[in-house]
Amino acid sequence: MRNTASRAALPIIEIIKKSAAWEVHWDYQEAPESSILFQRGEYLRGYIDGTMDDLGIHPDSVCCASGQTGTVKKLNEDQAVRLRDALNRVLIPIVTREFTRLQNMSDLPHLRMVEAEEA
């Protein structure tokens, strides 16, 4: 098995102020634990779309929005903060749990034995 990192490669979620409007950008970090964002893509897309609808974000403001990456522009500050918080609530725990699962898998003795036999 591969050596795992000491901490999860969490998605980066940031708010940027552009003139009078706000933007929210998010992007996954390339790591084994990030694959869960692709596997759960349909669920995440539904969550994000529902959140933006609930916040009253007009579809024209959405440049792209998926469970892996996204850019939403022309927001007011409240919408930007609430969208960032919603993304933090869904993306961070999913990646963190996958990181923990992968670490636990690498600690299983029968998997280490298979690796030794293949070498």
Side-chain angles (χ1 to χ4, degrees):
M1 297 284 314
R2 64 172 179 78
N3 290 334
T4 58
S6 60
R7 61 188 182 101
L10 300 176
I12 296 172
I13 305 165
E14 60 185 358
I15 297 177
I16 300 171
K17 183 173 181 171
K18 296 273 182 137
S19 300
W22 294 78
E23 299 179 359
V24 177
H25 300 267
W26 65 97
D27 194 9
Y28 77 101
Q29 300 303 297
E30 186 65 39
E33 59 270 19
S34 295
S35 66
I36 194 70
L37 298 174
F38 294 91
Q39 294 168 15
R40 307 269 325 264
E42 189 174 331
Y43 164 78
L44 293 170
R45 179 63 193 238
Y47 177 92
I48 292 166
D49 286 349
T51 298
M52 289 189 296
D53 187 48
D54 185 50
L55 295 175
I57 297 171
H58 195 277
D60 290 343
S61 299
V62 181
C63 297
C64 70
S66 72
Q68 299 84 35
T69 62
T71 299
V72 182
K73 298 180 177 186
K74 303 177 197 166
L75 303 174
N76 63 45
E77 184 177 8
D78 182 58
Q79 288 173 318
V81 168
R82 291 177 64 195
L83 179 57
R84 180 205 54 205
D85 292 347
L87 292 167
N88 276 325
R89 280 192 307 273
V90 72
L91 299 178
I92 304 302
I94 287 175
V95 173
T96 302
R97 282 191 302 268
E98 181 66 4
F99 175 77
T100 301
R101 188 187 73 79
L102 291 172
Q103 275 193 319
N104 291 339
M105 291 289 291
S106 70
D107 291 339
L108 295 175
H110 63 281
L111 293 178
R112 288 195 307 264
M113 288 173 40
V114 169
E115 179 184 289
E117 290 173 4
E118 291 175 352

